Amino acid sequence: MTTVAEYPANIYTTDAILNPYPHYQRMRRLGPAVWLNRHKCFALPRYPECKATLRDDQQFLSDHSVALNALCNRLSRGTTLASDGDEHARRRKLVAHRLLPRALRGVSDAVDDQARSVVEAAVARGTVDGVDLATALPLAVVPDLVGWPRDQREHLLAWGAASFDILGPLNWQAIKALPRAVQMVRFVRRVVAERRVVPGSIVDELLHAADDGVLAHDDCPALMIDYIAPSLDTTISAIPNALYLLGTHPEQWQRLKEDPALIPGAVNEIVRYESPLRAFARRVSCDTEIAGVAIPSGAQVLVMYASANRDEDEWDRAEVFDIGRDAGRHMGFGNGAHACAGQGLARLETTAMLQALLRRVDRIEVVGEPEWAVNNIIRRHRRLPLRLIAA
Ligand code: HEM
């Protein structure tokens, strides 16, 4: 067995959250599994170990394990994200089919229309905040799709961000977010109990399935949280990341203008290069080893999607943003049994936005200093001043 190297820095300070890549690089250099003394877990900063861990969901468990703190792990009980084995498969089967590309055909026209009108309005204004541009699209589509009632929509962004923040360690950032995350859970429980969900939506369908005895009514709130909580901040990360990267790499934007068939590859490269989700954890079910490092039963391992996606041993010129590369094997949407159930929708939204931009915009210019938001899990801009120059 190899002695495990220790990484002494706290990777969840504000500085580390705002500038994570030097930490990831140092951790990758230290070894395939690195002990984080601050967080009492083994971090996996390289690509092969992240992939192998995500694909072995018998040995690396999600129940009571995805967050780096016990409080949030308790709150996440009953979700697809935080369940294992047959229970996980059962929960996933109840909802995930509604987000497959075929099922999403029903919303794809609405997504395209919304993307077109958002871009049209932005072009008319000239200078815009790329975060506002990105926010309008998922907010217009996802709450109706999932079934969120008309009221309390103004809280959705803050509640969604909080539900990610609490998945980190129990630092000040998570503690500040906790009341908002709890408010969201309480509101969802009430909405489900009062059956106030949008008719025909995903959760409406779930409630009818519960009436028919397919699942318990008590299962429905956690499943609603499962799909509403990750549906906003994630795409509100990916779309501004796309705008920023294409604005600061005009030659890549030009390639995309000349060949829109590159869009699916560009979406993969955007999610590889600036992965919206930093890392989630797993718990080891028995004594094991990862690349020669002994990991005792019950230990937590941190799967670092964003670091794996910049691993120099996996990616040729990992630090270069290149929409022409084959980035399809990136880990930005996870991998294995828990791979993102909403990636079809995320791809649809990002693609619609890029298509609308290609149609109407000649150049994207980043004007002024962009700011990053502080969140334990999500890497996204807080503000992204842009000028869109019409074609
Ligand atoms: C760019 C946008 C997105 C990114 C980067 C992303 C990323 C991820 C990642 C990395 C995981 C794996 C979690 C794990 O390994 O434990 C995941 C799971 C999940 N995502 Fe996403 N996601 C995105 C958008 C969405 C959207 C729009 C929805 C819902 C509408 C969604 C719903 C889910 C669900 C339900 C799971 C849990 C799946 C399971 O445990 O079986 N995601 N996502």
Side-chain angles (χ1 to χ4, degrees), residues 107 110-111 113-115 117-118 134-145 150 153 156 232 236 349:
V107 291
V111 171
D113 288 350
Q114 187 65 29
S117 73
V118 164
T135 305
L137 181 57
L139 265 187
V141 178
V142 187
D144 285 340
L145 181 68
R150 301 272 160 222
R153 287 196 176 186
L156 264 176
L232 299 172
I236 297 171
E349 290 176 44

Side-chain angles (χ1 to χ4, degrees), residues 341-355:
Q343 61 180 289
L345 181 58
R347 288 179 195 278
L348 188 77
E349 290 176 44
T350 314
T351 300
M353 225 33 205
L354 290 178
Q355 281 170 339

Side-chain angles (χ1 to χ4, degrees), residues 54 62 66 80-83 88 92 99 142 145-146 226-228 230-232 234-235 238 271 275-277 280-282 305 331-335 337-343 345-346 349-350:
L54 292 174
S62 292
V66 174
T80 313
L81 180 74
S83 53
H88 169 257
R92 185 153 172 143
L99 295 173
V142 187
L145 181 68
V146 176
D226 243 339
Y227 286 84
I228 198 74
S231 65
L232 299 172
T234 49
T235 38
V271 174
S275 305
L277 261 74
F280 275 157
R282 298 289 191 268
Y305 317 107
M331 217 78 72
F333 288 118
N335 205 293
H338 290 274
C340 180
Q343 61 180 289
L345 181 58
E349 290 176 44
T350 314

Side-chain angles (χ1 to χ4, degrees), residues 174-255:
I175 292 168
K176 274 189 303 182
L178 204 54
R180 277 171 282 138
V182 171
Q183 268 176 321
M184 184 182 210
V185 172
R186 288 213 180 112
F187 180 72
V188 166
R189 283 194 189 137
R190 207 169 60 236
V191 161
V192 170
E194 294 167 0
R195 299 188 78 119
R196 285 200 296 116
V197 298
V198 175
S201 64
I202 289 177
V203 181
D204 189 39
E205 189 182 290
L206 269 182
L207 284 167
H208 284 104
D211 294 342
D212 296 339
V214 177
L215 73 157
H217 284 96
D218 284 354
D219 286 342
C220 296
L223 289 171
M224 185 166 191
I225 299 265
D226 243 339
Y227 286 84
I228 198 74
S231 65
L232 299 172
D233 249 28
T234 49
T235 38
I236 297 171
S237 161
I239 294 170
N241 288 347
L243 289 162
Y244 179 75
L245 288 168
L246 292 166
T248 51
H249 296 77
E251 77 296 346
Q252 301 292 320
W253 170 249
Q254 210 43 49
R255 275 174 90 183

Side-chain angles (χ1 to χ4, degrees), residues 12 17 19 46 56 74 88 133 145 229 262 302 387:
Y12 291 94
I17 285 174
N19 188 19
R46 298 181 185 170
D56 184 355
R74 256 204 310 281
H88 169 257
L133 197 72
L145 181 68
L262 288 172
L302 188 65
R387 185 174 306 124

